[in-house]
Amino acid sequence: MGISPNAKRRAAQVVRLLRREYPDATCALNYTSPLELLVATILSAQCTDERVNQVTKDLFKKYRTAADYARTPLDELERGIQSTGFFRNKARSIVGCCKLLAEQYAGQVPQDLEALVELPGIGRKTANVVLGTAFGVPSGVVVDTHVTRVSRRLGLTAQKDPEKIEQDLMALVPESEWIDFGHRTIHHGRRTCTARKPECGECVLGGICPRIGVAEK
Ligand code: SF4
């Protein structure tokens, strides 16, 4: 099943309506540097942003540079991030990433998608979050669980694989909107187009949304 011929026009309407609804939507993770955003984004897998922000409040005081993380014993870091879930994998990713950053990039986060996705545990989603939010570089569209669900319901993609969904959205949404579209769609998915109970009657997109896969109440 491909994208409907109306998808481009609908995407333009979605961009306009979400911009009006959430003019200031941005990343809900707290950070003060690209490195902090990278670490917070790794921690946010399968975890709420609120929980990540609680954990990073202390974590970012203790570890300030890539070298700080790189020389930390895994079990010590695991204890610090335990409440975010999947903490063993996350600790391995953070330490592995930071070792490479310290050794190959003078401790700086590279502003380059190809370089970022080469880092341990970093996929396109995390790379797009860091590049778009910390550097303002539109490397792609962030596709998380909210963007996946909302885009499919809106008929902007029929794909299930995040990288294929991203390709569809990059073709439909102007590059200048990629970063904000991601933030706003995530907001919309959290507030209105939720997984279990989408509030179609209250939705700003209600007039244009085909509600694909949404059961009638
Ligand atoms: S109309 Fe319903 S399905 Fe469509 S975006 Fe809004 S809440 Fe989601």
Side-chain angles (χ1 to χ4, degrees), residues 138-149:
S139 52
V141 178
V142 171
V143 176
D144 73 345
T145 175
H146 300 292
V147 175
T148 296
R149 181 179 67 254

Side-chain angles (χ1 to χ4, degrees), residues 149-150 153-154 188 192-194 197-212 214:
R149 181 179 67 254
V150 177
R153 286 174 173 172
L154 281 164
H188 193 61
T192 306
C193 192
T194 57
K197 200 167 164 278
E199 304 283 350
C200 299
E202 315 290 320
C203 179
V204 68
L205 306 176
I208 58 165
C209 180
R211 300 176 199 187
I212 293 168
V214 177

Side-chain angles (χ1 to χ4, degrees), residues 21-32:
E21 187 73 359
Y22 311 113
D24 303 319
T26 184
C27 181
L29 296 168
N30 294 338
Y31 67 97
T32 61

Side-chain angles (χ1 to χ4, degrees), residues 105 110-119:
Y105 297 97
Q111 294 187 39
D112 176 68
L113 186 77
E114 279 69 37
L116 277 172
V117 296
E118 288 296 315
L119 297 172

Side-chain angles (χ1 to χ4, degrees), residues 6-214:
N6 292 328
K8 192 125 195 168
R9 188 156 35 92
R10 191 178 307 131
Q13 291 173 308
V14 170
V15 165
R16 185 168 49 79
L17 291 166
L18 289 182
R19 187 194 304 129
R20 201 164 66 190
E21 187 73 359
Y22 311 113
D24 303 319
T26 184
C27 181
L29 296 168
N30 294 338
Y31 67 97
T32 61
S33 68
L35 179 67
E36 287 187 356
L37 182 59
L38 183 71
V39 170
T41 308
I42 291 172
L43 294 178
S44 72
Q46 309 286 319
C47 182
T48 64
D49 290 346
E50 292 75 19
R51 173 61 60 110
V52 172
N53 288 338
Q54 281 171 10
V55 167
T56 55
K57 208 167 160 224
D58 294 329
L59 198 73
F60 292 163
K61 282 185 205 147
K62 196 165 172 193
Y63 307 102
R64 296 188 180 273
T65 66
D68 290 343
Y69 289 103
R71 60 173 158 255
T72 299
L74 268 182
D75 58 342
E76 186 187 316
L77 185 60
E78 285 171 2
R79 280 194 298 279
I81 64 171
Q82 195 158 8
S83 64
T84 68
F86 302 96
F87 58 92
R88 292 209 167 86
N89 282 343
K90 290 177 181 177
R92 248 199 319 273
S93 294
I94 292 168
V95 170
C97 250
C98 286
K99 276 188 176 150
L100 265 178
L101 292 180
E103 285 163 11
Q104 295 183 15
Y105 297 97
Q108 302 301 305
V109 177
Q111 294 187 39
D112 176 68
L113 186 77
E114 279 69 37
L116 277 172
V117 296
E118 288 296 315
L119 297 172
I122 304 298
R124 273 193 72 96
K125 191 195 96 179
T126 301
N128 282 332
V129 169
V130 172
L131 289 171
T133 306
F135 295 117
V137 174
S139 52
V141 178
V142 171
V143 176
D144 73 345
T145 175
H146 300 292
V147 175
T148 296
R149 181 179 67 254
V150 177
S151 304
R152 286 173 54 84
R153 286 174 173 172
L154 281 164
L156 301 181
T157 184
Q159 302 289 344
K160 292 186 174 160
D161 173 69
E163 295 205 5
K164 290 184 179 155
I165 293 171
E166 187 187 355
Q167 291 308 312
D168 284 347
L169 294 177
M170 287 166 76
L172 289 172
V173 174
E175 186 177 332
S176 59
E177 300 285 344
W178 287 351
I179 298 171
D180 289 336
F181 176 82
H183 292 314
R184 289 172 181 148
T185 307
I186 290 169
H187 258 60
H188 193 61
R190 284 184 173 143
R191 291 177 186 197
T192 306
C193 192
T194 57
R196 296 221 177 121
K197 200 167 164 278
E199 304 283 350
C200 299
E202 315 290 320
C203 179
V204 68
L205 306 176
I208 58 165
C209 180
R211 300 176 199 187
I212 293 168
V214 177

